[in-house]
């Protein structure tokens, strides 16, 4: 008598469960995320790349006028040192803070003396290592005498273009490189004077 072996009854595999769909954020939460990301990006750009500044005084006349708005770039000085003629923004030096402890606003001046150079102001001219430099951007020739002094290492002598109405290096000394925030490159306000801050002086 022949016998048949019992074969297992095939079972239908359980239906695969679909992965739950991620819960969509509410419009309010999406808006909060977008605003938060924008703030982070803006702070990052302001800290490491560029920022806007305005001119509060007449110390840089005629180049910069009161309430001019500028873009200050912060990248180039990571690769190259400031050059004579650059218009820089910098944190107050220790000498400035000693003279005015409440001072915390950044300054803006033009780089004139580089590290190791001998600078003198005499006869209405600026002399670098004994040679006068051409300055067609100043309001009027300086009416004071200063120096000669040697600019310390990693420091810069800065003067305002309005030589006789500028609280600058001839009052309080030199700007350490570490105090420099960046270089003013573009004026974006007022619109009728929009453009680059240049050209670079030929010296």
């Amino acid at each position: 008598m022949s016998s048949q072996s019992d074969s297992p009854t095939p079972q239908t595999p359980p239906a695969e469960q679909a992965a739950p769909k991620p819960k969509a954020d509410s419009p309010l939460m999406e808006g909060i995320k977008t605003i938060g990301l924008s703030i982070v990006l803006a702070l990052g750009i302001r800290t490491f790349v560029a920022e806007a500044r305005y001119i509060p005084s007449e110390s840089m006349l005629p180049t910069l006028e009161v309430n001019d708005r500028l873009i200050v770039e912060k990248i180039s000085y990571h690769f190259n040192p400031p050059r004579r003629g650059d218009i820089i923004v910098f944190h107050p030096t220790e000498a400035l803070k000693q003279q005015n402890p409440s001072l915390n606003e950044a300054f803006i001046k033009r780089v004139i003396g580089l590290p190791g150079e001998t600078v003198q102001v005499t006869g209405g001219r600026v002399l670098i290592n004994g040679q006068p430099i051409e300055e067609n951007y100043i309001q009027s020739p300086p009416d004071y005498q200063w120096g000669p002094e040697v600019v310390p290492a990693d420091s810069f002598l800065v003067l305002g273009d309005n030589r006789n109405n500028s609280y600058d290096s001839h009052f309080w000394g030199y700007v350490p490189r570490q105090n420099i925030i960046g270089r003013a490159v573009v004026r974006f306000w007022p619109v009728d004077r929009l453009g680059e801050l240049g050209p670079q002086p030929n010296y």
Side-chain angles (χ1 to χ4, degrees):
M1 181 166 94
S2 65
S3 63
Q4 285 184 323
S5 61
D6 292 336
S7 59
T9 304
Q11 296 182 357
T12 303
E16 293 183 0
Q17 294 182 348
K21 293 182 178 180
K23 186 177 180 180
D25 288 331
S26 68
L28 176 60
M29 185 57 66
E30 287 290 346
I32 291 173
K33 286 182 177 180
T34 300
I35 292 171
L37 180 60
S38 299
I39 291 173
V40 169
L41 289 174
L43 289 175
I45 291 172
R46 189 178 190 279
T47 301
F48 300 108
V49 180
E51 66 179 74
R53 292 276 177 172
Y54 82 99
I55 302 303
S57 75
E58 297 181 344
S59 70
M60 285 297 292
L61 287 173
T63 308
L64 301 174
E65 298 182 7
V66 175
N67 290 326
D68 279 0
R69 263 61 173 178
L70 315 174
I71 295 297
V72 177
E73 65 88 8
K74 303 180 177 183
I75 299 297
S76 61
Y77 291 158
H78 290 290
F79 305 98
N80 298 293
R83 299 179 300 170
R84 190 179 355 271
D86 286 356
I87 298 174
I88 63 169
V89 174
F90 55 93
H91 296 295
T93 66
E94 290 304 316
L96 274 166
K97 291 178 182 178
Q98 289 174 9
Q99 293 181 22
N100 188 347
S102 63
L103 189 64
N104 53 25
E105 293 294 327
F107 277 53
I108 182 166
K109 305 292 177 189
R110 190 183 294 272
V111 174
I112 299 298
L114 305 179
E117 292 182 332
T118 299
V119 183
Q120 183 177 12
V121 181
T122 183
R125 304 289 298 272
V126 174
L127 279 61
I128 304 291
N129 297 330
Q131 298 299 315
I133 59 174
E134 294 298 326
E135 298 187 288
N136 58 4
Y137 45 76
I138 60 176
Q139 179 85 335
S140 57
D143 60 8
Y144 56 85
Q145 308 290 314
W146 183 90
E149 289 192 16
V150 177
V151 182
D154 293 322
S155 297
F156 300 86
L157 181 136
V158 298
L159 299 175
D161 289 354
N162 190 358
R163 289 291 153 83
N164 300 311
N165 188 24
S166 177
Y167 187 47
D168 52 33
S169 283
H170 86 279
F171 281 108
W172 43 256
Y174 307 97
V175 178
R177 184 169 179 174
Q178 65 191 30
N179 284 52
I180 298 176
I181 297 170
R183 179 172 64 99
V185 290
V186 173
R187 175 175 28 228
F188 66 89
W189 187 265
V191 175
D192 61 343
R193 292 191 295 115
L194 181 148
E196 292 185 28
L197 297 177
Q200 185 76 10
N202 294 320
Y203 52 45

